[in-house]
Structures are given as C-alpha cells and as structure tokens.
Amino acid sequence: MLSVRRPGHLMQGKVAFLAAFLVSVSLANAGETEKTMKPYTEKIANTDVTFDMVPIPGGEFVLGSPAGEKKREDDEGPQIKVKIEPFWMGKHEVTWNEYDVWSFNLDIQRRKLTRVKADAKEKAADAVTRPTKPYTDMTFDMGHDGYPAICMTQLAAKTYCKWLSEKTGHYYRLPTEAEWEYACRAGTTTAYSFGDDPSKLDDYAWHYANCNDTYQKVGKKKPNPWGLYDMHGNVSEWVLDQYIPDAYKKWSGKGTLKFPVNVPTKLYPRIVRGGSWDDEPEELRSANRIYSSSDWKIQDPQLPQSIWYHTDAIMVGFRVVRPLKVPTAEERKKYNLDPIIPADEGR
Amino acid sequence: MTQSNDQSTSRRDFLKVSTATAVGTGVLSSLGSTAHIYAGGDDKVKVGLVGCGGRGTGAASQALSTDGNVKLEAMADAFDDRLDRSLKNLQKQFSGRPERIDVAEEKKFVGFDAYQKVLDSGVDVVILATPPGFRPIHFEAAVNKGVHVFMEKPVATDVTGVKKVLAAAKKAKDKKLAVGVGLQRHHQAPYIETINRLKDGAIGDITSMRCYWNGGGVWEPRLDRKDAKSEMEYQMRNWYYYNWLCGDHINEQHIHNIDVCNWLKEDFPVKAYGMGGRQVRTDKKYGEIYDHFAVEFEYADGTRMYSQCRHIRNCWNSVTEHAQGSKGSCDISGAKYQTNAGYKWKYRGKKPNPYQVEHDDLFAAIRKGTPYNEAEYGAKSTMTAILGRLATYSGKPVTWDQAMASNVNLMPKDFSWEATPITVPDDNGFYPIPTPGATKVL
C-alpha cells in the first residue's frame, strides 16, 4: 500500500542524499581566490542550456535605506553595516529553459534518447528530489524561452540550487537578503543602482507601467554597475531569509555584521527582493523588502497545497549565487542552506 | 484607447492581494467574502466528503469555510490511508476552528460502497470528488437520497454516465436540491465580466473560438505494478491513466476550457473532428491514455471551436480560451479584448478565489433555498469533452446525436478489488491503445 511504501521511498531518497553530500566535497572552489574570480558560463550537462555568472567582490556596505529615502518603509531601517564575502551571482534571473531541465527531467529524458550513460555528477543530481508536475501551465502563457521562471516556492528554488550544485560540481544556493541587496546596490547608496530618480527606471527595469502586464525576457534592459540584469523589476527574487519586519532593529548596535541571515522557522512570510513587472517604482528600490503570504497559493485547490508551486505568485522568481568559500556541512545546517523536503510531500 | 474605469483604486486592491497581505493572514481568514446575507445562518449544515484526495480535501476545506454553521461529519474513500491523511490535513487546516470537523470513527467509511454509507449517515450536503468515473453513480445516489451536492468536474467518463447525470439532474431540480459543479471559472470574477461583455456584443458576433490545456502532464503513477494486489487496485491508485476512471486528459482537465467556450456560445457542439495520440508518454505505466489531442468542434450554426490539449514536457504551453468576433478578438482567460477599431479593455477588478466563491454561492443557495443547479451544463460540457475523445480515438467525425444514441459503458460490471476493469494489460503489462482508423468507439 502506498502509505506503507512511501516512507521507504523517502528513506531511499535520504540515503541517496547522503551519498550526494559525500560527492559534494568536490564542490569546493579549489585554488580560486577573490582575485582569480572571473565571469563564466555554466553549461547544464545533457542539455543545450547555459547560464552566465558574474563575480561579486567581497566588501562592506550599508544594508537598508536612509530615513530620508522617498517612499521608504519602516522595515528598511535602521541601516546596518554588513561585511559580505565574495561570490558569483547569476547575471540573469533563472529562466524557464534552466528551471524546466530540473522540474521536468529534461536532462534525464535527453540522456535516455541519446543513450548517454550517467556519470557520477549526473547520478548525484538524479538523486535530488524533483517537483511533482504542476497541474497547470506555470508560465500562465506569458512566454517560456528566455523568460524568468516564476511561481515556484522558496523550497523549490532551494531544491533547484541543490540539484544544480550536484549537476555542475559548483556549489550554488540562494543569496541571503543582505547579499542580494549588496549585489543590487553594486557600490551605490541611492534608491536604485542608477540613482534616485524613478523616471530613469525605464532604462533599467520592467515595472508595472512599461511591461504590458507580463514579465519580459531577461537581460533586455541595462545592467547595474556590476553587470547584473533585472535586479530591479521583471520578477522579484527569492532570498534565504524569513521576513522579520524589525530585523534590522534587532541587528543594530552590534557592529559590522558578518553573514547576517534570518533562518526561516515558519513557512510565511519569507522574503523576495527587487520588485517585479507587477509593481510600482517604489517597490523596485534596492532596499525594498517584499514578503510571501499564503495568498500566493490562494488558487491552489488542493489540500494540502503543493510544496513546489504557488498559483498566484506570478511575479516571483529567483537567481542563484555561488559563494567563493563553500560552506561546510555545519554551516549549511546552521543557516538552513539545504532544502528540507517535508516527510509528507504534499501531493 | 484604454478604458479608464477606476483603475488606480482597483489596481491597488489587487496589489494588496497579490503581494502585500498582512503577515499571518491565512487563506481562509483572508477570503472573508461575506457578500451574501441569509436568514437562519446558524442552522447547521452537515457535510459529507466522498473521495478524499487532494482535491476532495480542498473542496471540503472550502465548504467548511463558507458562512454560518457548517460541519464535516462523514467521509468516504476507497482507501483508508487516503481518508486518514485527508482528515489529518483538514484538522490541521481548521486547528483554529476545530468544531467544524466532527467525523466520528463510525462515520469514516472505506471501500466501493462507502459513498452510500455517507449518504445514509444523515448529511445535508455531499462533496463528490472521487475519480470522475464514479460520479454518475454517486450523484444519482445522492439525488435519490435527497442530499444537496457539490461535485467535481468532469461528471462522467462515458456517454452512459453523462445520461445518468442528466437524468439525475432533472430529478434534483424536481426535488429542489442544490447542485454545484467544480467548473469554477463560472464563479471567477474576471471570467464572468468578460463573458458578459462578449455576450453584450463587445467584439461583435462570435465567429470562432479556440482553447488550450497544453502543459507538462500530471502526477506520475503512484503504485508500482509489483506492489498492486489486484488489477483493480492498480488502476484505482493510478486512476488518471485509465479511461473508465478519468476519461483521458481532454475530459479531466481540458473540460475547463471547452466549457468556457460552450458558456460563451450558450450552446453545445453538434459534431467533433479530432486527431491525437500517444507520442511521448508511451511507457506501460502510463496506462491507456493519450498525451495529445487536437479537436475541432462544430456548433449547430456552423461556428467552430478549436481545441488542443497536450501532456508533453518542454513544448509550447497554454491553458487559455480565446474568441474571435466580427468586430474584435478576446483573450477570455486573460480577461481582455480589443476591437478592430482599436479599443482595448482589460479586467481590473477584484479577483476573489473562485474555488471559495463556488462554495460560497452553493451554500448560500442551500441556506436560502433558492434554485441552484449546475449539473446540466456540467454534464453537457463533460459530454463535449467525451465527444472530442471519441472523434480522436476513432479518427472520424462523431456527432453529438450519434454519441448520445450509443450505450457504450466503460465501467466495470461490479465493483470489488477482485473485479476486472474493462481494459486489462497484456502479458507484458501493456494496455490496448486506441488507434485512429481502427478503433471503434460507438
């Protein structure tokens, strides 16, 4: 019976997960230093899909917005000094081309069709859980090739990173909220990475007034000073943190913070950053914080609701980062960096 | 030219729903749709659930979230593990209102006859959410018992079932029973507004319609052959892949889009021409259903509806409906249209959750005692989808009247774990697959 077999299957999954962890030792960026970090293009094996990564130098910055920033909200302050370690960040938001390889097993299907044998990386990647199929089309007919993947839960985004790590041999994860804002600001202290004037937004971002009610292909606007596209607008991007309105207040007075992250303990609300095609200019500001709610699943007619999909977060996607210093197993656990698939998978 | 109907206000309202709802607001509490007012709201409405999968459980949750005193009192499923999981999930969902769920141990019924036991247990409303093949039997029994019904779409998988539902629908009207059908687009504000505008002639006369359910497919088979105690158990656990249970994906999912076109047309097709097959999802574990259909439906006045549904990954996806008119075109699902003269309209109003609204509407009707019966169009839209399947499987045009005159019955003769379904696998585990040009469907 299913109810009896299911835990058995999960067990097997867990064993495979552990095996994958052991393989993951090779995910270290051996010999790389901040100085040798370069932009690179990663190819997803057994597909034609590639994505570009941009080096983000380490440094210190001020998280949050100054009290005088126009349209600022209370949760963006007080400003906090943060030290950020170097990492690479996706030049673009993760596209459907990338995401569907994982969610629809396109690599496995292609391997079978071309009769290619799975190597160790492929086997480790295959052992990572993939989502159930969405009951409806998750592009909502807004476009697929070259468009940002949307509507995934934070768990799905994290699991994608886990899979991508095994698949490529490079350690990928979601950024923390602080890392995201650091990369978005790219050394600037203004409301947007191009200054304070929202009227310039059309050069850099897709937002409500210029997007024709839909997301747009990634990379069509100007990048920020560090070469990242669509940090403002197009789709909001998942980060690792739980949303705590007064998080900065709690952090203030503790000097320069290293790797601040609010490790999630509840499903809602968690943070997305950057604002989206469906948002007003002020929501696209570097410091603005947007958070998830159960309403993002309001049209999921099932109970329990899917752990992989939102039905109403058509403005939410994500981008990946690859830290130069690969976290240890303890760090992964401490910061909840790995996805934890609930025992009852939801469907 | 864009119509300026208080867009700024409604846009902010929409944003509130989509991005910025207050922390800690749950799905249920946030709905708060108290639009209807009724007398005697404190009268308890006792609900029974038949079919405890994800959708049945969701429907129960929505029923229990309607206004007034409503309580889940009885449950039925073919499998006890499904029932237990469903109850557990509902209890979790209603931890803040535990009084809404009161399912005594003796009101948990398991097996093929469990539905009748729920009906006999004294419930006022029953939710029918088993695989659709059982729906006609369950609906007929509910009407005979005099119980109000919410039933999920589709309402049958074969013509015999459709006829049974139509007969029971008539009887339900006579008995003044309320019947809701889970074609929730009929309760979805953007759809309602758009269809009403089209019916008012916003894009002139409707000259053709097209609709799609193209996606990557649904859940993988849940039970391995080696773990099945019988063929019946194997098919029941993997119900999506067997026609007597599901009716193929044109029936199970695409019905939503086909139904929208029928709704706009205020009619049902007289004839269907179709093609399709099983190109990618060929493994024996995928039973007997196709993975793509393209069907042209013809209405009595000659208008056509072009329909596609596909369960193949990494292809063009769309779950939408569109209408072409003599004076413009409309993306019905996108709730927007434009006229040839350059006028553009898009729905900017509120978007309450249609899955909740359909229950709010049904329960309000039950409490008020107003006539409410969606069974007939539910049955006829189901029949439209079945007609498309018949035309596709046979490779030949099939008329509504031909189909309705037939007595093809896909259901097993009797229901038990030892009973034999109408299609069984060969020695290698493969099922007979319908073959256009060769397969006889009527």
Side-chain angles (χ1 to χ4, degrees):
Chain A
M1 304 292 279
L2 248 180
S3 55
V4 183
R5 289 194 320 104
R6 210 173 177 80
H9 269 280
L10 281 174
M11 218 49 146
Q12 280 172 22
K14 270 183 193 149
V15 172
F17 242 116
L18 286 178
F21 265 123
L22 296 176
V23 174
S24 303
V25 174
S26 66
L27 296 177
N29 301 312
E32 285 264 31
T33 65
E34 188 165 359
K35 280 187 180 161
T36 63
M37 287 173 74
K38 286 189 177 61
Y40 67 95
T41 299
E42 187 91 85
K43 184 170 189 296
I44 301 181
N46 285 307
T47 72
D48 301 323
V49 178
T50 62
F51 61 94
D52 295 331
M53 297 296 290
V54 175
I56 304 297
E60 287 189 8
F61 90 116
V62 177
L63 176 69
S65 56
E69 188 166 300
K70 224 176 162 187
K71 303 265 188 185
R72 175 194 200 252
E73 292 175 60
D74 284 348
D75 62 359
E76 298 168 21
Q79 290 183 302
I80 301 289
K81 262 194 152 181
V82 177
K83 184 175 185 325
I84 300 284
E85 295 296 325
F87 57 88
W88 288 269
M89 190 174 217
K91 190 174 178 178
H92 302 119
E93 291 150 347
V94 172
T95 62
W96 283 117
N97 308 58
E98 297 156 60
Y99 192 78
D100 278 355
V101 174
W102 169 66
S103 59
F104 283 157
N105 300 332
L106 300 181
D107 52 340
I108 297 175
Q109 188 183 25
R110 174 91 162 259
R111 228 161 54 211
K112 282 183 182 158
L113 286 173
T114 53
R115 295 183 167 72
V116 170
K117 277 210 168 148
D119 62 14
K121 275 186 202 163
E122 294 282 276
K123 281 180 187 160
D126 289 358
V128 177
T129 307
R130 305 206 189 196
T132 52
K133 288 180 222 162
Y135 81 99
T136 187
D137 161 42
M138 283 289 149
T139 71
F140 296 90
D141 217 32
M142 299 195 296
H144 185 278
D145 289 4
Y147 292 91
I150 55 163
C151 251
M152 73 293 292
T153 58
Q154 189 205 42
L155 175 71
K158 284 176 77 169
T159 312
Y160 173 86
C161 293
K162 170 80 186 158
W163 167 82
L164 189 65
S165 301
E166 301 297 357
K167 183 97 184 162
T168 60
H170 290 146
Y171 178 77
Y172 290 101
R173 61 164 167 77
L174 295 180
T176 65
E177 181 173 25
E179 285 170 338
W180 191 95
E181 187 172 323
Y182 175 70
C184 177
R185 291 188 172 282
T188 67
T189 55
T190 42
Y192 307 92
S193 60
F194 53 83
D196 286 316
D197 184 1
S199 73
K200 287 189 186 152
L201 205 54
D202 285 352
D203 291 341
Y204 294 89
W206 297 107
H207 57 106
Y208 184 69
N210 71 359
C211 74
N212 197 24
D213 288 335
T214 176
Y215 59 33
Q216 302 288 336
K217 281 191 179 181
V218 300
K220 294 290 175 195
K221 295 286 188 182
K222 286 185 189 169
N224 79 358
W226 287 350
L228 301 167
Y229 290 79
D230 302 305
M231 291 297 281
H232 304 297
N234 210 19
V235 292
S236 287
E237 301 171 11
W238 280 116
V239 297
L240 286 169
D241 301 54
Q242 184 91 48
Y243 174 72
I244 297 170
D246 57 353
Y248 301 178
K249 208 167 160 189
K250 286 178 178 164
W251 280 336
S252 71
K254 293 185 178 167
T256 302
L257 294 183
K258 289 175 187 172
F259 204 72
V261 53
N262 284 303
V263 176
T265 54
K266 292 184 297 182
L267 185 54
Y268 303 109
R270 296 188 188 177
I271 299 180
V272 295
R273 284 300 214 110
S276 76
W277 59 270
D278 196 31
D279 285 325
E280 308 287 352
E282 61 264 29
E283 283 157 303
L284 273 57
R285 290 174 303 108
S286 301
N288 185 48
R289 310 172 75 199
I290 297 171
Y291 45 86
S292 67
S293 83
S294 56
D295 284 356
W296 286 11
K297 255 190 220 180
I298 202 164
Q299 288 187 78
D300 183 344
Q302 309 264 338
L303 188 73
Q305 292 182 313
S306 172
I307 59 171
W308 304 110
Y309 303 99
H310 286 301
T311 46
D312 303 82
I314 57 173
M315 60 294 170
V316 172
F318 68 108
R319 85 174 71 207
V320 299
V321 299
R322 174 186 164 197
L324 175 65
K325 185 175 166 294
V326 177
T328 62
E330 293 76 48
E331 285 167 334
R332 286 195 201 181
K333 201 167 170 222
K334 183 180 171 192
Y335 297 114
N336 202 1
L337 299 181
D338 292 313
I340 298 165
I341 317 289
D344 182 348
E345 279 188 48
R347 284 282 161 89
Chain B
M1 181 170 68
T2 305
Q3 187 171 329
S4 57
N5 53 350
D6 63 301
Q7 280 184 13
S8 53
T9 345
S10 51
R11 157 137 180 86
R12 298 313 307 179
D13 288 345
F14 175 65
L15 270 180
K16 267 182 221 155
V17 170
S18 63
T19 60
T21 303
V23 180
T25 307
V27 170
L28 302 164
S29 55
S30 68
L31 292 165
S33 52
T34 48
H36 39 256
I37 302 155
Y38 46 84
D42 285 339
D43 296 344
K44 182 167 78 172
V45 176
K46 291 174 280 180
V47 179
L49 170 61
V50 175
C52 300
R55 181 60 204 122
T57 312
S61 167
Q62 283 128 17
L64 297 177
S65 303
T66 57
D67 289 337
N69 185 357
V70 54
K71 192 171 273 207
L72 180 68
E73 293 203 345
M75 296 170 81
D77 199 276
F79 299 102
D80 58 358
D81 59 305
R82 301 293 303 195
L83 192 153
D84 291 341
R85 197 187 317 168
S86 171
L87 181 55
K88 215 174 80 191
N89 281 319
L90 282 166
Q91 281 164 340
K92 201 169 143 194
Q93 184 84 4
F94 285 87
S95 55
R97 283 181 291 177
E99 73 285 355
R100 298 227 149 184
I101 296 163
D102 183 18
V103 185
E105 206 53 41
E106 65 273 15
K107 289 198 176 177
K108 290 157 71 175
F109 305 107
V110 173
F112 286 100
D113 59 352
Y115 72 93
Q116 190 62 52
K117 293 175 182 167
V118 164
L119 295 173
D120 293 342
S121 74
V123 295
D124 304 306
V125 191
V126 69
I127 294 166
L128 304 178
T130 62
F134 293 106
R135 199 87 70 247
I137 300 166
H138 293 174
F139 179 52
E140 185 180 56
V143 172
N144 286 341
K145 189 75 192 177
V147 170
H148 302 293
V149 174
F150 174 82
M151 57 178 167
E152 261 307 334
K153 43 42 69 176
V155 300
T157 58
D158 60 17
V159 176
T160 308
V162 169
K163 286 196 263 196
K164 192 178 281 221
V165 172
L166 284 170
K170 196 167 172 295
K171 204 167 169 184
K173 258 184 198 163
D174 295 342
K175 288 181 142 188
K176 297 191 166 44
L177 294 173
V179 183
V181 173
L183 291 162
Q184 81 286 346
R185 283 166 169 78
H186 288 266
H187 301 267
Q188 195 162 354
Y191 272 97
I192 296 167
E193 172 83 15
T194 305
I195 295 276
N196 285 344
R197 282 169 173 264
L198 295 188
K199 284 184 181 174
D200 287 346
I203 59 168
D205 297 329
I206 304 301
T207 54
S208 72
M209 297 175 289
R210 55 199 167 86
C211 63
Y212 313 91
W213 190 297
N214 291 342
V218 296
W219 46 271
E220 288 290 299
R222 294 157 169 160
L223 181 67
D224 285 344
R225 169 72 64 190
K226 64 176 167 39
D227 297 320
K229 288 201 242 359
S230 67
E231 179 64 24
M232 185 59 107
E233 189 202 4
Y234 182 73
Q235 294 196 14
M236 288 278 283
R237 287 284 192 187
N238 301 330
W239 63 269
Y240 208 100
Y241 296 97
Y242 300 91
N243 270 323
W244 68 277
L245 285 159
C246 157
D248 214 325
H249 64 106
I250 189 173
N251 187 47
E252 215 284 330
Q253 288 183 310
H254 191 33
I255 180 177
H256 280 297
N257 321 103
I258 289 170
D259 171 66
V260 167
C261 293
N262 287 339
W263 177 18
L264 171 60
K265 189 66 190 161
E266 299 179 285
D267 202 359
F268 299 90
V270 294
K271 200 173 185 181
Y273 315 73
M275 61 170 73
R278 193 174 149 102
Q279 169 69 26
V280 171
R281 198 168 50 192
T282 54
D283 192 282
K284 58 190 171 191
K285 73 179 175 181
Y286 299 120
E288 59 184 356
I289 66 168
Y290 276 17
D291 57 20
H292 64 285
F293 291 79
V295 182
E296 186 175 325
F297 292 96
E298 184 182 334
Y299 292 85
D301 66 359
T303 308
R304 306 284 172 130
M305 179 228 304
Y306 305 95
S307 116
Q308 288 182 15
C309 55
R310 179 164 59 198
H311 273 183
I312 301 180
R313 293 169 289 194
N314 205 26
C315 297
W316 169 67
N317 284 346
S318 184
V319 178
T320 56
E321 307 90 20
H322 308 261
Q324 184 63 46
S326 56
K327 293 178 183 166
S329 59
C330 177
D331 172 356
I332 305 171
S333 39
K336 55 188 175 188
Y337 64 77
Q338 55 187 348
T339 66
N340 298 337
Y343 175 83
K344 281 185 180 179
W345 176 84
K346 183 172 162 57
Y347 180 82
R348 298 280 184 203
K350 291 195 171 160
K351 298 177 177 180
N353 180 0
Y355 294 100
Q356 187 58 49
V357 175
E358 65 181 347
H359 280 85
D360 293 342
D361 292 349
L362 171 66
F363 278 74
I366 290 169
R367 288 182 183 281
K368 279 189 207 158
T370 46
Y372 194 91
N373 196 315
E374 300 180 329
E376 188 181 336
Y377 78 72
K380 288 184 174 173
S381 278
T382 299
M383 185 59 214
T384 312
I386 291 171
L387 188 67
R389 185 187 75 216
L390 299 177
T392 303
Y393 281 4
S394 66
K396 292 173 181 157
V398 179
T399 69
W400 182 283
D401 291 344
Q402 280 170 339
M404 288 302 280
S406 83
N407 284 306
V408 176
N409 183 348
L410 300 179
M411 299 302 282
K413 286 206 171 55
D414 46 44
F415 296 98
S416 74
W417 297 116
E418 293 71 41
T420 309
I422 200 163
T423 49
V424 290
D426 64 15
D427 293 345
N428 297 316
F430 285 94
Y431 291 81
I433 304 300
T435 306
T439 292
K440 194 172 172 297
V441 292
L442 292 176

